[in-house]
Amino acid sequence: MSREPFYYSQEFARQLDNEDELARFRDEFYVNAESIYMDGNSLGLLSRRAERTLLKVVDAWKTQGIDGWLQGQYPWFYLSEKLAALSAPLVGASEDEIIVTGSTTTNLHQLVATFYKPEGKKTKILADELTFPSDIYALQSQLQLHGYEPAEHLIQVKSRDGRIIAEEDIIAAMTDEVALIILPTVLYRSGQLLDIERLTAEAHARGILIGFDGCHSVGAVPHHLSQWDVDFAFWCNYKYLNNGPGGTASLYVNRKHFGRSPGLAGWFGSRKDKQFDMEHQFVPAEHAGAFQIGTPHILSMAPLIGSLEMFAEAGIEKLRAKSLHITSYMIDLIEQELAGMGFTIGNPRDDLRRGGHVCLEHEEAARICKSLKENKIVPDFRAPNIIRLAPVALYTTYDEVWETVQRLKAIMVEKQYEKFENTRDVVA
Ligand SMILES: Cc1ncc(COP(=O)(O)O)c(C=O)c1O
Ligand SMILES: Nc1c(O)cccc1C(=O)C[C@H](N)C(=O)O
């Protein structure tokens, strides 16, 4: 594939598409011919394979009723474990360290309920001030359940520039009062990729447990959770993994913690062979399955079966290589074509420090996003001033990136955005 320097022409973009060895996957997706989708970092597109496995599971329900739990191509009773096995290569874990269950936020609650054990002066939870709000709400409520005041017990590491969190600042905040650390792998606004391995080693050197929210990295960035010795992690499957809106999420628990009692127990956390004994004595599974609570959301995980097959075929290293290449192409084009128009690239430039989306800042961002939508480009807006654009390795073309930047240029030159109010929609 042609490396930098990039040339500024549509022909060059098309040449990059011709050289793209992952290009064949695009045809597997329902891509709207009328518009350009740049929001796969928030909700990934539907693929034909994901649709097929969803319909297969619906058909099992239609034809087998309750017997679908043990029969059919994808017996529901083992689906969370089957999907864990398919997810394992994406996060660098063994299959029994993962379980597909719940939502990101409920999984975070489960993991904090399990791993947050305040003792003596070690009572605080460390997070950061730029993290996704749901995580903060969960941490605040978990502290309150223990009778602690979040204002005192939740430490949020400050950002020096409002975009990124310096690893040094996180490490400096790892005091002997900290019991647990929860951080994002990739920050949802700036797209900064934290140094997970380094932060984990530093936390462990101070006797602190550490868990990561992988929503914005899993499916876009390779992980080595077990090798890095991360204690636990959780992520959604509806962004880069294309499992559909509200699709079932995942969690990871390092095998060294197998045997810990789940903070929030429920019968689907049971050993499979014991579950239907219906005893009131809980016998948890001996692996990450123990952290399930109730009946798995079968229809909300069925698309993931087909979707993960594609990740296995493409390989996460190749997907990352394309993601880095196509995002640097976009950044380069933006700098070339939109110079002097008030835009700032908000994501880190270094490949080792950025995830799968481009963070574009502008003081008119909310209405520029509305204008992009009117021009059939789908971005998203994050307050106060961010346009997120995600050229996704499985289905975005270089030609679409070229076209996006050209339409954005026209919006700015012609001041098309001025007819909109600079405020966000209800769902931005
Ligand atoms: C980083 C991050 N954490 C948590 C969430 C919350 O996920 P959910 O609403 O699926 O629990 C999201 C997305 O909405 C997210 O991006
Ligand atoms: N979970 C979402 C939803 O229910 C509606 C709209 C968007 C979302 C998202 O996932 C937003 C996403 N987590 C973000 O990075 O902002």
Side-chain angles (χ1 to χ4, degrees):
M1 180 166 289
S2 305
R3 307 301 308 184
E4 298 83 340
F6 296 118
Y7 299 99
Y8 307 111
S9 70
Q10 190 157 31
E11 289 65 42
F12 181 70
R14 290 180 177 168
Q15 181 193 325
L16 292 177
D17 283 322
N18 286 334
E19 293 170 3
D20 175 10
E21 60 173 319
L22 298 176
R24 67 195 156 94
F25 287 102
R26 177 177 169 87
D27 290 340
E28 303 228 21
F29 285 85
Y30 287 98
V31 177
N32 182 344
E34 305 295 308
S35 67
I36 296 178
Y37 196 71
M38 286 289 165
D39 207 12
N41 58 314
S42 194
L43 179 67
L45 292 179
L46 174 65
S47 65
R48 290 182 172 74
R49 287 201 232 189
E51 179 186 48
R52 208 175 302 138
T53 52
L54 170 62
L55 291 176
K56 275 199 173 154
V57 173
V58 169
D59 193 62
W61 176 26
K62 195 191 290 177
T63 57
Q64 300 175 34
I66 189 109
D67 286 338
W69 282 105
L70 289 178
Q71 290 173 16
Q73 193 174 349
Y74 307 116
W76 310 331
F77 196 56
Y78 303 104
L79 195 51
S80 295
E81 287 78 6
K82 176 187 170 68
L83 287 167
L86 295 173
S87 310
L90 298 179
V91 295
S94 358
E95 57 187 74
D96 60 355
E97 291 175 305
I98 304 169
I99 198 74
V100 175
T101 185
S103 72
T104 308
T105 311
T106 58
N107 289 346
L108 172 58
H109 273 292
Q110 168 68 296
L111 292 162
V112 176
T114 304
F115 287 98
Y116 175 53
K117 303 280 178 209
E119 221 187 303
K121 86 188 240 215
K122 258 185 163 357
T123 55
K124 297 193 174 169
I125 298 181
L126 181 63
D128 71 274
E129 71 162 355
L130 298 180
T131 213
F132 196 79
S134 198
D135 292 16
I136 295 300
Y137 306 155
L139 296 178
Q140 288 168 335
S141 68
Q142 285 288 334
L143 285 166
Q144 279 160 340
L145 281 172
H146 283 269
Y148 293 124
E149 190 48 59
E152 272 175 35
H153 282 80
L154 179 61
I155 305 164
Q156 290 185 255
V157 180
K158 294 232 173 305
S159 164
R160 297 182 198 184
D161 63 358
R163 297 186 180 111
I164 68 158
I165 302 284
E167 275 91 355
E168 296 71 36
D169 295 346
I170 301 174
I171 294 163
M174 294 180 185
T175 66
D176 56 5
E177 295 185 335
V178 176
L180 183 68
I181 304 173
I182 304 287
L183 293 168
T185 51
V186 165
L187 273 66
Y188 78 105
R189 278 190 294 215
S190 70
Q192 177 196 2
L193 171 63
L194 285 174
D195 187 338
I196 302 165
E197 183 175 18
R198 177 179 174 203
L199 292 167
T200 302
E202 295 286 352
H204 289 170
R206 293 161 178 78
I208 308 171
L209 294 176
I210 185 162
F212 286 90
D213 176 337
C215 281
H216 290 270
S217 61
V218 178
V221 178
H223 301 67
H224 303 282
L225 295 179
S226 298
Q227 190 188 315
W228 296 335
D229 203 28
V230 167
D231 292 294
F232 60 88
F234 51 99
W235 59 92
C236 70
N237 291 306
Y238 51 67
K239 300 181 191 299
Y240 294 102
L241 294 176
N242 311 314
N243 184 35
T248 312
S250 298
L251 62 80
Y252 159 88
V253 172
N254 190 306
R255 62 184 333 100
K256 71 184 177 189
H257 296 303
F258 287 180
R260 267 196 191 231
S261 291
L264 308 173
W267 76 316
F268 260 83
S270 300
R271 251 175 60 176
K272 292 270 183 229
D273 58 333
K274 294 281 181 198
Q275 183 169 341
F276 277 81
D277 287 351
M278 302 295 191
E279 295 293 342
H280 282 188
Q281 180 64 42
F282 178 48
V283 184
E286 284 134 355
H287 46 73
F291 301 94
Q292 297 173 86
I293 303 176
T295 306
H297 305 149
I298 298 297
L299 297 181
S300 292
M301 60 172 84
L304 198 54
I305 311 169
S307 185
L308 288 178
E309 272 177 21
M310 272 183 284
F311 282 82
E313 284 172 26
I316 189 65
E317 297 292 344
K318 281 193 180 156
L319 288 165
R320 174 65 166 163
K322 175 172 170 190
S323 166
L324 286 172
H325 190 254
I326 198 168
T327 45
S328 36
Y329 173 59
M330 177 175 253
I331 292 166
D332 202 53
L333 268 185
I334 287 170
E335 289 188 324
Q336 168 72 21
E337 303 284 298
L338 308 179
M341 294 180 182
F343 289 103
T344 306
I345 300 290
N347 53 272
R349 299 305 180 91
D350 182 351
D351 284 359
L352 294 174
R353 303 193 70 216
R354 62 195 184 91
H357 70 266
V358 174
C359 167
L360 193 53
E361 300 173 355
H362 196 286
E363 59 182 26
E364 308 283 358
R367 53 181 174 170
I368 294 172
C369 275
K370 290 178 188 168
S371 202
L372 278 166
K373 285 199 172 172
E374 188 186 51
N375 280 274
K376 307 282 184 213
I377 310 277
V378 185
D380 68 19
F381 166 73
R382 285 292 171 266
N385 64 341
I386 290 170
I387 303 166
R388 294 189 306 187
L389 296 166
V392 172
L394 273 177
Y395 51 76
T396 309
T397 65
Y398 289 84
D399 195 24
E400 287 181 311
V401 171
W402 167 264
E403 195 54 42
T404 297
V405 177
Q406 295 311 312
R407 290 188 207 173
L408 187 48
K409 188 174 178 180
I411 288 168
M412 302 312 291
V413 171
E414 296 160 21
K415 299 195 186 309
Q416 292 177 36
Y417 60 88
E418 285 186 351
K419 69 179 177 197
F420 298 102
E421 275 191 52
N422 198 29
T423 51
R424 66 165 170 77
D425 288 333
V426 178
V427 174

